[in-house]
């Protein structure tokens, strides 16, 4: 008699398999991108911090930090710095994905999704894909600002692109850490601070802002093996921002930064995706 | 043959709390079971176990003939869930919300789009369809949430406190939808704290408290367990209470109870409306002015109190104005009856 009681089953695609996983993930990714475009202030605020870092680090520290091979020079530091700022910016996506998923839990949306016959990892995969889109947009804006303050690359376009690719991959891997945090806390606020609190030591005990050689020995070891440092080192090389006489630390990840960056990112995705999907399936908000 | 929803011995504990302590349920196809109980009774936990959101510690359940524990994803194809809080994305429009849920039910995009338009129309959301859901009122969000649960016309529906927090008008319109749904053959498990709601919508009622089913039956059966009908009178003048009491004693089948401060007298009776008319005539003859008089059958409130020894934590949504089982008439119409 009406739409409500209409029991004619509507055409339903065959469920199951990889096809369904991809379809479901894209439906969720699309939803999160639409959401993001309707709350542009989140994107804007997400940009302010890295831009401030670019400006503050370049001009405040630029005149005092000595880079092996370049000495103390503001322009030399600026080139050295950018890969570090880019890498820090992509890892901050951890807070966004964590807060988004915690918010979905809080609002009962995760319950709704879990009651639907959808692929089991799709809610989280869709979220991380949408975060990847946002991270890419952020990187584009940040790169433009970097060029404005004087950052230049000295390698061919392919290598520069590969450098950004590694950065995006690292950002993507970190959104899976965010997903696990988001599923584990009660509120979006907790997910944001829980996502950021360990990022500061992680990004500072690294080669992102200063050469690891300038640190005390035990910190230098940590910095050289820090997953974050591998990506910084790799993209710094691929951008051609490593000063000519820069001594590469002896640690394996610093000697083979591209491989180290790929391995670390893949490992993070593997571990945290497994944990997050398991948590999602058993979660009880 | 087990019903469309069937559960045996469901147990779920959270730490020390036994949220479900051996719950058995059976809902025959095409009927409505009302799960009635106060906050924390275990209603939501039961729904979450049956809709695959929680794994029970022990016990078994089938929904639409499918084992909930063994084939959760098959169960999900056959159910719709409308939870306690409207689970819609507030930054998406109503239409986008429904299309998304339709696609996640594995409908093709085109079919999901058509079905979303149909439901938006049916639920009175067509005008607001392309506005973000955060601009919706509470009632509209709840309707959108219900529409999302109905997008594939699932044969089995679960509704967890569907009308909590709604105003009477929105509650009524949701009840209409639910009744229409059931008329169309859907099996429904509904949880509620509103006794009136269970009475109005459910074929069978399970009263739950502390994770256990403490009574089950039709609304009439439960009321019969609690006792028979009675006459309630509120007199206008405090001075008339003693006389009124004498009158009532002449008709009553038991002790008359008197509430001084509300000027209300209650006496158990048999004889229904005919007797009520006699009581009114007699009171009138003695010149006792009455503010209110009525024949009252026990409500589910009374059932609940007599079963659990405590009141359901929230009383009926529109207590007094819409009481479905009260034959209470207001003073003017009582006078008419007396003519």
């Amino acid at each position: 008699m009406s739409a409500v009681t209409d029991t004619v089953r509507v055409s339903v695609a065959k469920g199951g398999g990889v096809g369904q996983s991809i379809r479901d993930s894209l439906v969720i990714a699309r939803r999160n991108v639409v959401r993001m475009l309707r709350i542009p202030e989140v994107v804007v605020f997400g940009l302010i911090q890295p831009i401030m870092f670019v400006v503050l680090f370049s001009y405040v520290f630029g005149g005092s930090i000595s880079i092996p091979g370049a000495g103390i020079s503001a322009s030399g530091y600026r080139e050295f710095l950018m890969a570090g700022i880019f890498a820090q910016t992509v890892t901050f996506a951890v807070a966004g994905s964590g807060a988004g998923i915690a918010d979905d839990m809080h609002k009962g949306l995760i319950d709704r999704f879990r009651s639907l016959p959808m692929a089991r990892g799709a809610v989280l995969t869709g979220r991380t894909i949408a975060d990847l889109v946002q991270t890419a947009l952020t990187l584009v804006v940040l790169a433009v600002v970097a060029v404005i303050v004087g950052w230049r690359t000295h390698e061919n376009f392919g290598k520069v692109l590969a450098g950004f690719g590694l950065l995006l991959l690292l950002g993507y891997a970190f959104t899976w850490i965010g997903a696990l945090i988001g599923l584990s806390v009660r509120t979006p606020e907790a997910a944001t601070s829980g996502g950021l609190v360990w990022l500061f030591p992680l990004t500072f005990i690294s080669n992102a802002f200063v050469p690891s050689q300038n640190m005390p020995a035990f910190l230098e070891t940590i910095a050289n093996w820090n997953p974050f440092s591998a990506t910084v080192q790799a993209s710094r090389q691929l951008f051609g921002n490593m000063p000519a006489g820069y001594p590469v630390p002896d640690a394996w990840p610093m000697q083979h930064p591209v491989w180290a960056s790929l391995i670390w990112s893949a490992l993070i995705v593997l571990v945290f995706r497994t944990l997050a999907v398991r948590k999602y399936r058993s979660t009880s908000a | 043959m087990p019903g469309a929803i069937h559960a045996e011995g469901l147990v779920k504990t959270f730490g020390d709390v036994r949220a479900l302590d051996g719950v058995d349920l059976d809902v025959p196809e095409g009927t409505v079971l009302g799960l009635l109980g106060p906050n924390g009774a275990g209603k939501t936990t039961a729904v979450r176990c049956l809709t695959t959101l929680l794994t029970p510690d022990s016990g078994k359940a089938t929904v639409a003939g499918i084992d909930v524990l063994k084939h959760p994803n098959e169960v999900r194809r056959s159910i719709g869930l409308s939870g306690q809080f409207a689970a819609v994305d507030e930054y998406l429009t109503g239409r986008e919300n429904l299309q998304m849920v339709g696609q996640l039910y594995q409908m093709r995009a085109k079919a999901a789009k058509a079905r979303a338009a149909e439901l938006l129309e049916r639920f009175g959301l067509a005008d607001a369809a392309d506005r973000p859901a955060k601009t919706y009122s509470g009632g509209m969000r709840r309707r959108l949430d219900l529409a999302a649960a109905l997008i594939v016309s699932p044969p089995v529906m679960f509704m967890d406190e569907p009308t909590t927090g709604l105003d009477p008008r929105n509650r009524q319109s949701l009840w209409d939808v639910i009744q229409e749904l059931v008329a169309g053959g859907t099996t429904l498990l509904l949880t509620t704290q509103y006794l009136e709601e269970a009475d109005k919508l459910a074929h069978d009622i399970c009263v739950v408290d502390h994770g256990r089913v403490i009574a089950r039956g039709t609304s009439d059966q439960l009321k019969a367990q609690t006792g028979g009908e009675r006459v309630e009178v509120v007199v206008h003048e405090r001075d008339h209470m003693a006389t009124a009491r004498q009158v009532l004693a002449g008709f009553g089948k038991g002790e008359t109870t008197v509430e001084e401060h509300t000027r209300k007298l209650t006496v158990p009776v048999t004889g229904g409306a005919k007797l009520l008319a006699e009581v009114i005539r007699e009171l009138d003859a003695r010149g006792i002015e009455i503010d209110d008089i009525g024949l009252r059958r026990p409500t589910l409130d009374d059932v609940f109190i007599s079963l659990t020894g405590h009141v359901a934590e929230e009383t009926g949504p529109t207590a007094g104005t819409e009481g479905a089982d009260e034959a209470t008439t207001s003073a003017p119409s009582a006078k008419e009856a007396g003519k």
Side-chain angles (χ1 to χ4, degrees), chain A residues 183-224:
Chain A
L183 289 170
S184 309
V185 297
R186 282 170 206 287
T187 63
E189 292 76 17
T192 306
S193 45
L196 293 180
V197 73
W198 52 273
L199 270 186
F200 279 97
L202 183 87
T203 54
F204 277 85
I205 305 175
S206 78
N207 57 2
F209 307 110
V210 294
S212 53
Q213 296 90 316
N214 296 5
M215 298 178 189
F218 79 100
L219 278 188
E220 187 190 345
T221 309
I222 296 175
N224 288 341

Side-chain angles (χ1 to χ4, degrees), chain B residues 100-142:
Chain B
M100 172 180 75
V101 174
Q103 286 185 275
L104 295 175
Y105 265 114
Q106 313 304 319
M107 286 168 84
R108 297 188 192 286
K110 209 170 168 187
K113 195 172 173 182
R115 178 69 174 151
E118 197 180 335
L119 284 170
L120 287 163
E121 190 66 44
R122 168 61 187 85
F123 282 80
L125 296 168
D127 291 340
D130 297 307
R131 283 193 346 232
K134 67 173 176 157
T135 65
Y136 288 16
S137 69
M140 288 165 79
R141 277 188 208 207
R142 207 63 79 90

Side-chain angles (χ1 to χ4, degrees), chain B:
Chain B
M1 189 186 136
I5 304 170
H6 184 81
E8 282 173 35
L10 287 184
V11 173
K12 181 72 192 178
T13 54
F14 299 106
D16 295 342
V17 183
R18 283 177 90 79
L20 292 180
D21 195 5
V23 168
D24 301 327
L25 294 173
D26 191 79
V27 192
E29 200 176 324
T31 68
V32 181
L33 176 74
L35 216 52
L36 178 68
N39 278 328
K43 305 186 298 291
T44 299
T45 308
V47 169
R48 292 177 64 88
C49 285
L50 292 169
T51 54
T52 77
L53 296 180
L54 270 184
T55 310
D57 300 339
S58 65
K60 53 184 179 179
T62 59
V63 170
I66 307 158
D67 191 309
V68 174
L69 292 167
K70 288 194 188 123
H71 306 288
N73 222 39
E74 299 303 310
V75 168
R76 290 177 197 129
R77 283 174 205 284
S78 307
I79 60 169
L81 168 64
S82 179
Q84 233 175 90
F85 308 99
V88 297
D89 187 322
E90 45 191 351
Y91 288 95
L92 297 190
T93 66
R95 191 187 306 281
E96 287 166 342
N97 266 293
L98 294 186
Q99 285 177 10
M100 172 180 75
V101 174
Q103 286 185 275
L104 295 175
Y105 265 114
Q106 313 304 319
M107 286 168 84
R108 297 188 192 286
K110 209 170 168 187
K113 195 172 173 182
R115 178 69 174 151
E118 197 180 335
L119 284 170
L120 287 163
E121 190 66 44
R122 168 61 187 85
F123 282 80
L125 296 168
D127 291 340
D130 297 307
R131 283 193 346 232
K134 67 173 176 157
T135 65
Y136 288 16
S137 69
M140 288 165 79
R141 277 188 208 207
R142 207 63 79 90
R143 291 208 297 278
L144 183 62
D145 180 68
L146 184 54
L150 293 175
I151 199 134
V152 291
S153 312
V156 180
M157 279 287 296
F158 293 86
M159 300 177 73
D160 192 11
E161 304 200 4
T163 64
T164 298
L166 289 187
D167 64 36
R169 199 172 55 87
N170 278 311
R171 175 170 297 116
Q172 185 61 50
S173 80
L174 214 61
W175 283 352
D176 293 343
V177 171
I178 292 170
Q179 282 170 332
E180 195 185 317
L181 197 67
V182 174
T186 303
T187 308
L188 171 64
L189 189 149
L190 168 98
T191 79
T192 184
Q193 300 184 35
Y194 300 146
L195 310 160
E196 177 198 351
E197 190 163 277
D199 204 14
K200 184 156 184 145
L201 299 174
H203 298 105
D204 288 298
I205 294 170
C206 279
V207 183
V208 288
D209 199 32
H210 301 297
R212 290 176 164 280
V213 176
I214 54 172
R216 61 181 89 219
T218 64
S219 148
D220 284 338
Q221 285 167 348
L222 291 175
K223 286 174 195 165
Q225 277 181 19
T226 314
E229 58 195 8
R230 56 201 187 273
V231 168
E232 252 179 39
V233 185
V234 178
V235 299
H236 188 65
E237 301 274 344
R238 195 168 295 264
D239 297 347
H240 288 158
M241 289 185 76
T243 327
R245 185 174 189 160
Q246 281 175 13
V247 173
L248 290 181
F251 292 99
K253 298 286 177 216
E255 194 80 2
T256 307
T257 54
V258 180
E259 280 180 41
E260 286 285 343
H261 63 290
T262 55
R263 304 185 310 280
K264 183 158 92 177
L265 301 97
T266 309
V267 67
V269 296
T270 53
K274 189 161 170 286
L275 181 115
L276 179 65
E278 286 172 26
V279 174
I280 291 169
R281 273 194 290 272
E282 182 65 23
L283 289 168
D284 202 34
R286 302 250 195 144
I288 299 171
E289 200 182 333
I290 55 180
D291 284 349
D292 191 24
I293 186 164
L295 185 66
R296 205 166 178 271
R297 296 172 63 210
T299 64
L300 280 169
D301 273 302
D302 302 323
V303 173
F304 200 83
I305 293 166
S306 79
L307 285 170
T308 64
H310 59 86
V311 195
E313 272 160 44
E314 285 178 44
T315 52
T318 48
T321 59
E322 228 183 327
D325 15 48
E326 292 183 33
T328 311
T329 43
S330 61
S333 54
K335 274 179 196 155
E336 264 171 46
K339 274 176 196 165

